[in-house]
Amino acid sequence: MTTVWKIEFGRLAGVVAAALLSAMLTGFWALSFLAGLTLYIIWHLRQMRRLERWLSSGGSLSTAPDAGGVWEQLVNQVHRLNQRNRRRKKRLSDIVNRFHRSTEAMPDAAVVLRDGGVIEWSNRAARDLLGVRNPQDHGQRIGNLLREPSFRDYLTRGDFDEPLDITSPVDPELELNLRIVGYGDGQYLLMARDISSLRRIEAIRRDFVANVSHELRTPLTVVTGYLESFDGEELPEHVREGVGAIDRQSRRMLSIVEDLLTLSKLEMEPVEPAAAEMVRVDELLVGLVRDAEAFSGEQVHRIELDATPEFGLRGIASELSSAFGNLITNAVRHTPAGTRIRVSWHVDGERGRVAVRDEGQGIGPKHLPRLTERFYRVDTSRSRARGGTGLGLSVVKHALTRNGGELDIDSTPGRGSTFSCVFPAERLVTLGQAAPVLADRSADPDGARHSANP
Ligand code: ADP
């Protein structure tokens, strides 16, 4: 038994002893015990009241009731609990303050949203970048403050895997990259980053490449033009080889410049939905296959075409032609002579697919994610030797993106590759029944070499 309980039982024993003595002296046993116990209970009730008053006055140690025994123990324990709670509260408020200070100092905007896009909290940068004021706009819907249609669509779709770029509602000069992440139960954190300087640097880079390519094209065209007028047979022996090399290299440079210009155009020109036309993919592919046959020349690739005439595509014909043409040219360029290349256009389920399948040596999986990067080649010297610029697949990717499509690459080393251009249902145009276009090399052996440019 602890000391406090010994004291408490001592007190009770004292009361009982006093009642016993009183009973023996007066002869009123019941009354004596009743009086003793009543006094004992009254004393405890008084202590209880003191404790209750002390707790409601804040429970500081200096004003603690001094009753000894079990009451003193209770007072001490309550005081310790109080202190522990205070320390915990302080620690939590320190954490909250630190979080507040760091989010306030953040250059990126942060807005906490409840389900339905209601603003719960925002930092200072949210005011500067998004115009969300703290705390005046809390409780408002974010869609009422950020009215850009692309943002509203983004919110309505509710698919926040990809970030969204918008113009700041506060300053039209500011370009923002916006991301929304879900956390907890129906809560979202919206973050916005100022990417204006990044965009400016990108624009400078694009302009530089476009200007340099443009400036180089004219002198190169003149050089290749003059070189064309030379008849190799008439040239003296000692210069013939040199002139041949100059001719090859200047043509290569011209192809690179042409591809860079095509890329710049695809990157810089705004996508004009009104410019989209109905493209007869089957007819387009017939022309491209002819060009590829001419390009294959003596290598005699067997190029087969299977294109449905039932569907067309809504898009920009020159860009789609550039994308499909580059894939077919690549199949010729990167596969051995005489191998089969199958070009097809089909609609499977909801999506349309232009596929170019070859039986070449294929591409290792580690190269696949990088193939559409500019100048990325699996085998640089072989690509150069076959007239590749390393820009073809970049052109394909850009041209497809502008026309609502995606590039899908499937390749098995040693067995061949399939490059597919996949288009969503909204890009498809139903044309009705007609005989499918099935062509092979024997159909028409004539045709011009297909260049990487439209
Ligand atoms: P290039 O002008 O060299 O063809 P691309 O950007 O068109 O440049 O292609 C990048 C690289 O991808 C090529 O250098 C080649 O290594 C690889 N590649 C493209 N198409 C094929 C293909 N059908 N088969 C094998 N490799 C390919």
Side-chain angles (χ1 to χ4, degrees):
M1 197 188 300
T2 58
T3 322
V4 288
W5 283 109
K6 278 185 195 151
I7 295 171
E8 203 49 52
F9 281 119
R11 262 186 205 140
L12 189 59
V15 170
V16 172
L20 203 63
L21 188 68
S22 155
M24 281 196 301
L25 289 175
T26 60
F28 295 113
W29 286 85
L31 208 60
S32 299
F33 274 97
L34 190 65
L37 287 177
T38 308
L39 284 174
Y40 182 68
I41 291 169
I42 288 173
W43 183 81
H44 271 294
L45 283 174
R46 203 167 146 257
Q47 297 310 327
M48 243 187 256
R49 191 155 158 258
R50 286 176 69 196
L51 181 73
E52 187 267 330
R53 279 195 184 157
W54 173 68
L55 283 177
S56 34
S57 72
S60 102
L61 202 58
S62 57
T63 56
D66 179 17
V70 79
W71 289 107
E72 193 174 319
Q73 174 86 345
L74 271 178
V75 166
N76 284 335
Q77 279 179 356
V78 168
H79 179 68
R80 268 203 299 277
L81 265 178
N82 247 351
Q83 277 194 321
R84 204 181 303 156
N85 272 345
R86 263 193 218 127
R87 276 200 300 273
R88 193 175 299 159
K89 224 161 124 184
K90 181 160 181 332
R91 241 194 347 261
L92 282 178
S93 84
D94 281 352
I95 292 172
V96 170
N97 282 341
R98 263 207 310 274
F99 169 75
H100 247 265
R101 281 200 301 273
S102 55
T103 49
E104 284 299 294
M106 242 166 51
D108 296 348
V111 182
V112 173
L113 302 171
R114 264 203 320 271
D115 239 350
V118 176
I119 301 168
E120 267 197 348
W121 173 89
S122 60
N123 67 353
R124 197 180 308 153
R127 183 196 59 201
D128 302 338
L129 299 180
L130 300 170
V132 176
R133 292 163 309 163
N134 177 12
Q136 296 93 316
D137 291 331
H138 296 182
Q140 285 234 46
R141 284 184 186 281
I142 187 80
N144 293 340
L145 298 174
L146 301 183
R147 293 178 161 273
E148 192 163 310
S150 61
F151 178 70
R152 287 174 156 232
D153 287 351
Y154 189 61
L155 270 191
T156 317
R157 268 202 320 275
D159 176 7
F160 305 129
D161 287 348
E162 293 295 321
L164 174 77
D165 290 350
I166 60 165
T167 306
S168 163
V170 180
D171 178 354
E173 297 279 298
L174 292 183
E175 283 285 317
L176 304 178
N177 177 268
L178 212 129
R179 208 170 241 294
I180 297 183
V181 280
Y183 70 96
D185 195 12
Q187 293 215 305
Y188 295 88
L189 177 64
L190 179 153
M191 287 169 294
R193 200 159 53 99
D194 179 5
I195 50 162
S196 322
S197 49
L198 205 75
R199 287 276 177 271
R200 268 194 293 277
I201 293 169
E202 267 176 25
I204 292 171
R205 196 243 333 138
R206 273 201 308 266
D207 287 351
F208 175 77
V209 174
N211 290 337
V212 168
S213 312
H214 199 75
E215 291 298 325
L216 286 177
R217 186 163 59 170
T218 315
L220 274 172
T221 313
V222 174
V223 171
T224 47
Y226 271 114
L227 286 166
E228 246 171 38
S229 65
F230 287 137
D231 182 351
E233 297 304 315
E234 285 175 5
L235 289 172
E237 188 73 36
H238 65 283
V239 292
R240 200 179 296 160
E241 200 179 318
V243 170
I246 296 171
D247 185 34
R248 278 192 304 279
Q249 294 305 327
S250 49
R251 275 177 202 287
R252 204 165 84 73
M253 275 166 73
L254 197 58
S255 306
I256 294 174
V257 164
E258 297 281 4
D259 276 2
L260 280 174
L261 277 172
T262 307
L263 258 180
S264 301
K265 227 173 107 198
L266 291 174
E267 270 188 338
M268 282 155 79
E269 273 184 7
V271 181
E272 297 284 358
E277 55 197 297
M278 200 288 285
V279 180
R280 284 219 60 136
V281 179
D282 54 342
E283 288 174 6
L284 182 67
L285 290 176
V286 169
L288 294 173
V289 164
R290 275 193 201 136
D291 291 350
E293 284 164 352
F295 179 43
S296 170
E298 287 170 8
Q299 296 187 66
V300 203
H301 285 89
R302 285 177 290 130
I303 309 178
E304 298 170 3
L305 174 63
D306 174 11
T308 174
E310 288 175 36
F311 292 92
L313 270 179
R314 213 161 36 75
I316 298 167
S318 61
E319 294 178 5
L320 291 173
S321 167
S322 173
F324 307 153
N326 270 301
L327 293 183
I328 304 173
T329 310
N330 269 355
V332 173
R333 182 178 288 138
H334 299 291
T335 57
T339 52
R340 186 161 62 142
I341 296 167
R342 279 173 289 169
V343 181
S344 61
W345 161 236
H346 285 295
V347 174
D348 44 355
E350 288 284 275
R351 309 198 309 164
R353 183 180 288 263
V354 170
V356 180
R357 185 175 306 177
D358 66 55
E359 295 170 354
Q361 61 178 34
I363 306 159
K366 73 170 183 192
H367 299 290
L368 294 183
R370 301 198 55 192
L371 281 188
T372 54
E373 285 174 23
R374 282 152 205 238
F375 297 112
Y376 187 86
R377 288 124 151 172
V378 177
D379 181 340
T380 309
S381 50
R382 213 188 54 196
S383 157
R384 280 193 189 136
R386 299 198 176 191
T389 60
L391 294 166
L393 291 180
S394 305
V395 170
V396 174
K397 188 179 160 198
H398 273 84
L400 288 182
T401 308
R402 287 169 60 87
N403 286 276
E406 273 174 27
L407 178 64
D408 180 39
I409 309 173
D410 182 19
S411 187
T412 314
R415 298 188 53 189
S417 316
T418 304
F419 287 76
S420 308
C421 309
V422 186
F423 297 91
E426 60 265 25
R427 285 275 170 175
L428 301 176
V429 181
T430 311
L431 299 172
Q433 295 282 336
V437 177
L438 287 166
D440 62 28
R441 197 177 167 81
S442 56
D444 182 0
D446 301 330
R449 174 186 164 125
H450 175 81
S451 85
N453 293 299

